Amino acid sequence: MSSIVSVALAGLLSIQAAEADRLTSADVDAIEQAVTDVHPDPFTRIGETEWRDEGDRLRTLADEAPDREVAVALMRWVARLGDGHTNLEPSGLPEFARWYPVRFTEFADGVFITAAQGPALDYSGARVIAIGGVPAAEAGRQQATLQGADNMFGALEERYLLSNAGVMEALGLADADGGLPLTLELDGARVEAVVEPVTSRWEFDWRFWGEFVGPPVSDSYRDWHAGFNGE
């Protein structure tokens, strides 16, 4: 397996960190180098010493822990810069090429499934009470620590990582087989469900397609059924 980590910095650069049989401290070095070389002002939200000290801890973790755990830790590290245009997206790691065929969106009155397809089609439009036994809003906050945001609105806007099986497994919200346990409110009834992941692609740009389109588990946005009127 070749491990590749790409990081988009201030919308300017996509790099490939060290390729190896697994993630190592060299990947941490490459990300740190990219941040300091390319980002115009990376340490406005977090002190440089604090951020670099965290990098030192991650070098040890990278040489000891499984790829999935390391990748999520690196995502959180980059997100701590507090820049909505500076995020790390894991690619080349099989765990992160698996997606649940649902899209989660958080509104003022809760988290909802705004798009679904395949075996999860019946859950389109459902209000999500819990994800992996954790209140849906709390699950959203946990995944929000893995992506940069300029402000609170930005932190609430994106919930796309809730649809990624590798992320949910690393956060302890998926079950041992990768299934995502959900507690839903659907047509006035409480429903317990488990959504299984689909192995597909390492695409993350689908989050920009609108709340009625979900992860890259099919080749057409027309395969998605919206949570409103089932269109």
Side-chain angles (χ1 to χ4, degrees):
M1 177 184 68
S2 177
S3 298
I4 302 174
V5 175
S6 62
V7 57
L9 299 168
L12 299 175
L13 176 68
S14 177
I15 67 165
Q16 290 187 345
E19 296 189 27
D21 290 337
R22 60 182 304 278
L23 290 172
T24 68
S25 58
D27 293 278
V28 184
D29 295 340
I31 293 168
E32 184 175 61
Q33 190 70 45
V35 166
T36 55
D37 284 356
V38 177
H39 198 294
D41 192 9
F43 303 115
T44 59
R45 300 287 182 87
I46 185 173
E48 180 175 359
T49 298
E50 179 183 352
W51 193 78
R52 288 187 184 276
D53 285 348
E54 178 67 8
D56 290 339
R57 187 189 72 80
L58 290 175
R59 286 180 179 85
T60 299
L61 179 71
D63 289 330
E64 298 176 352
D67 273 353
R68 183 174 60 207
E69 180 181 339
V70 175
V72 167
L74 292 175
M75 293 168 72
R76 186 177 290 113
W77 182 47
V78 172
R80 292 192 68 197
L81 294 172
D83 182 348
H85 295 282
T86 303
N87 285 288
L88 185 146
E89 296 174 349
S91 59
L93 302 175
E95 299 96 320
F96 298 95
R98 295 177 298 129
W99 299 91
Y100 302 109
V102 292
R103 180 169 192 148
F104 299 96
T105 305
E106 185 162 351
F107 298 97
D109 55 346
V111 177
F112 289 79
I113 293 176
T114 55
Q117 65 168 275
L121 179 59
D122 290 342
Y123 307 137
S124 184
R127 182 174 182 270
V128 185
I129 299 171
I131 301 174
V134 173
E138 172 59 26
R141 285 190 289 270
Q142 288 186 31
Q143 68 95 64
T145 66
L146 308 182
Q147 53 194 122
D150 298 315
N151 49 44
M152 184 59 71
F153 177 80
L156 287 171
E157 176 70 12
E158 302 288 0
R159 290 291 180 262
Y160 68 99
L161 291 176
L162 291 173
S163 296
N164 188 273
V167 169
M168 292 294 97
E169 288 168 340
L171 293 178
L173 298 177
D175 61 30
D177 296 322
L180 189 65
L182 300 175
T183 302
L184 307 172
E185 184 181 287
L186 188 62
D187 296 328
R190 189 182 181 98
V191 176
E192 300 293 338
V194 177
V195 178
E196 300 297 336
V198 176
T199 299
S200 54
R201 303 183 296 277
W202 292 291
E203 292 179 10
F204 293 83
D205 288 349
W206 63 269
R207 65 186 185 274
F208 301 121
W209 299 346
E211 61 194 24
F212 303 128
V213 178
V217 297
S218 64
D219 294 327
S220 173
Y221 70 89
R222 297 182 184 276
D223 296 331
W224 291 94
H225 289 248
F228 299 92
N229 299 324
E231 297 178 354

